[in-house]
Amino acid sequence: MKSPRFGLATGCKDVYSSYIVIHYLREKRWFFITLVIQAAMMLSPAPEGVSPEGWRVLIMTVGATILFMTEPIPLPAVALLIVLGQIFLLGIDSSLVAKSLMKDSVLFIMGSLMLAVALVKQKLDKRLALLIVGITGSNTYRIAFGISIFSGILASFIGEHTVAAMMLPVALSLLQLATDDPAKRRALGLLFLFSISYACAMAGIGTPSGGARNAIMIDYLRDFFYATDDPATFSYSVSYLHWMIYSYPIFLVQLPLMHIILRYTFKTEITDLGPAVEKLKEQIRNEGALTERHYVAIFLFLLTLVGWVGFSSEVGMGTIAILGAVLFLVTGLVRWQDLNSGVNWGVVLLYAAAISLGVQMRDTGAAAWVAGMFMDMLAPLGMDHGIGLLAAVMLLTTFITNTMSNGAAVAVLGPIVLSIAVSTETNPLAMGMITAISSAFAYFTVIGTPASTIVYSSGLLQPKDFMVVGWRMALMSFAVLLLASKLYWPLIGL
């Protein structure tokens, strides 16, 4: 017979085990819900108009999208499931799947992340703050606009998450030196921190290196439409410079409009930061002048930028990015241990798998089928052509990008919108640009963009703050992008 103590211990253990199981099921519920949805789809016949292979690709895409949005398991695990799905569900040879993962855009994303880590290691944040106030003066709103300009210009070349991480200490340094009053600091923080996050998000559209979504769309356009023996398709092989010509003016137009929105949405009593600027200057003097190490780092970054603009069309943007990272390693400005620990390799894997799945959506006809369904929904509304179609794609992308990363949103939507472009005889390049650019309109949620998540980590912002200003930002960005697509792009032959 069991002793009372043993029985009590066994009972406690059973209760604890039950608690662990219940907690696990609750935490992972969306993973199991996804499996049930996919099983139901697998057991049902493929809809009319889509092949069995295309249906299986759609099942994988639905599962990946749900997991992207709910994150019950790490996103790199979703990437690995995509790889396994192509092998076991589609019957593709593992070597071919592996080959589809490593494209120039993936090398580009990997190299850009490595460069970002190398630049952050140089610790130039306070000097950047001093440079900003040296140009803008001590007026609060002019400093906020200066923060937006510097954040935007940097983010358009080296990625928003990196710039947000660099600029957050700049803003916090000014906030800490400006006031000890928590309420006044928060009011000022709203202005400065949104100046960083929204400028970074908008600027990410400016160049291919501004965000993974741009590289993904460039890869889709090249894979879907470019042929080396057909000059009529050469425009679909978008170079670094061409992308800038198409999108950088859109970012430049949005930037001052964003500042006006923030200025009148988040007012502050502190209109002059003269005392804070003087304290900042004193701190910089104590740290000493720039060293040779800093100058070499700046030179290498500018050299990489020249390589992207001048030579990426010949050797690939990914090659230039990897070369830039290697130069930082060779010169000793960064150690491999820094890159290994600082780069989110899971992100690289995630984008590689998402691009690979997008190619399968195209090859099996799944993307064309979804595009047809979407067009059938838009037709009764009169939005299946012209500016109405562009607006519909923009709204769809904006909704998706506020629920998952912008890179994942473009990876999922890219094959669909390009198929829509073909079926409606709309310029695929314009449709691709609309999708990539509107994926930056993640203004409504903390998780919408890496920059938003980073500034939120300061503790000065609340989720409702994003909603208060987000709708104003979205309306402005919609208007600018639609006007650009109808007025600016036709002038440059897009």
Side-chain angles (χ1 to χ4, degrees), residues 296-438:
V296 172
I298 295 170
F299 171 75
L300 290 181
F301 171 68
L302 293 177
L303 188 65
T304 304
L305 181 59
V306 170
W308 274 330
V309 174
F311 304 98
S312 61
S313 58
E314 286 82 18
V315 299
M317 294 186 298
T319 305
I320 301 297
I322 294 295
L323 176 59
V326 169
L327 289 176
F328 272 90
L329 285 167
V330 170
T331 54
L333 293 174
V334 68
R335 302 174 303 164
W336 174 253
Q337 291 90 331
D338 299 323
L339 298 182
N340 193 39
S341 60
V343 172
N344 189 337
W345 300 105
V347 169
V348 179
L349 177 61
L350 176 64
Y351 289 140
I355 293 170
S356 179
L357 181 60
V359 172
Q360 293 304 324
M361 286 191 66
R362 177 203 62 184
D363 291 346
T364 60
W369 183 79
V370 174
M373 295 285 289
F374 186 62
M375 293 306 300
D376 290 341
M377 293 172 57
L378 294 178
L381 302 174
M383 300 179 69
D384 56 344
H385 62 278
I387 195 168
L389 176 59
L390 296 181
V393 169
M394 195 184 308
L395 287 169
L396 175 64
T397 306
T398 299
F399 171 75
I400 296 296
T401 197
N402 275 278
T403 60
M404 66 174 72
S405 74
N406 46 44
V410 171
V412 170
L413 292 175
I416 297 171
V417 298
L418 294 179
S419 296
I420 290 174
V422 172
S423 65
T424 59
E425 297 183 353
T426 304
N427 184 350
L429 184 53
M431 189 74 86
M433 294 296 300
I434 285 282
T435 305
I437 292 173
S438 57

Side-chain angles (χ1 to χ4, degrees), residues 132 146-156 163 167 195-196 199-200 203:
I132 292 172
I147 287 175
S148 297
I149 293 173
F150 275 81
S151 297
I153 292 174
L154 289 172
S156 65
V163 176
M167 294 298 294
S195 293
I196 294 172
C200 287

Side-chain angles (χ1 to χ4, degrees), residues 3-232:
S3 67
R5 180 175 296 178
F6 180 78
L8 180 61
T10 302
C12 290
K13 182 178 180 180
D14 291 340
V15 171
Y16 180 73
S17 298
S18 299
Y19 172 78
I20 292 296
V21 171
I22 293 172
H23 178 73
Y24 177 80
L25 291 175
R26 185 168 62 248
E27 288 292 315
K28 305 294 183 183
R29 63 186 182 280
W30 276 107
F31 177 71
F32 294 109
I33 291 172
T34 301
L35 292 181
V36 170
I37 292 173
Q38 290 183 300
M41 294 177 70
M42 285 289 291
L43 293 173
S44 62
E48 184 179 353
V50 62
S51 67
E53 294 79 10
W55 182 236
R56 287 194 288 271
V57 171
L58 285 174
I59 292 171
M60 292 169 56
T61 304
V62 168
T65 302
I66 296 173
L67 295 177
F68 283 152
M69 294 171 64
T70 58
E71 293 191 51
I73 61 175
L75 292 185
V78 181
L80 294 174
L81 288 175
I82 291 173
V83 173
L84 294 172
Q86 291 187 64
I87 296 170
F88 291 115
L89 292 180
L90 302 181
I92 303 174
D93 184 84
S94 59
S95 297
L96 295 178
V97 175
K99 183 179 179 181
S100 71
L101 296 174
M102 194 51 66
K103 294 181 175 292
D104 181 70
S105 59
V106 178
L107 286 176
F108 179 70
I109 293 167
M110 181 168 60
S112 297
L113 292 174
M114 295 166 72
L115 284 169
V117 172
L119 288 172
V120 169
K121 290 293 293 184
Q122 310 313 312
K123 297 181 179 178
L124 294 169
D125 52 332
K126 287 185 179 179
R127 299 178 189 278
L128 182 58
L130 185 60
L131 176 62
I132 292 172
V133 298
I135 295 173
T136 63
S138 60
N139 179 271
T140 298
Y141 292 111
R142 291 180 63 186
I143 291 176
F145 190 40
I147 287 175
S148 297
I149 293 173
F150 275 81
S151 297
I153 292 174
L154 289 172
S156 65
F157 293 105
I158 61 176
E160 64 180 78
H161 60 287
T162 304
V163 176
M166 291 172 62
M167 294 298 294
L168 180 58
V170 172
L172 293 180
S173 296
L174 291 171
L175 292 175
Q176 290 165 0
L177 296 173
T179 178
D180 293 326
D181 186 315
K184 292 181 178 180
R185 181 177 292 177
R186 169 171 152 75
L188 187 59
L190 287 169
L191 179 64
F192 281 2
L193 297 181
F194 276 115
S195 293
I196 294 172
S197 64
Y198 284 162
C200 287
M202 292 189 309
I205 68 173
T207 74
S209 58
R213 58 180 177 266
N214 305 335
I216 290 171
M217 184 54 70
I218 288 173
D219 224 24
Y220 278 152
L221 288 166
R222 185 182 295 115
D223 279 354
F224 285 27
F225 302 108
Y226 176 69
T228 55
D229 57 349
D230 184 2

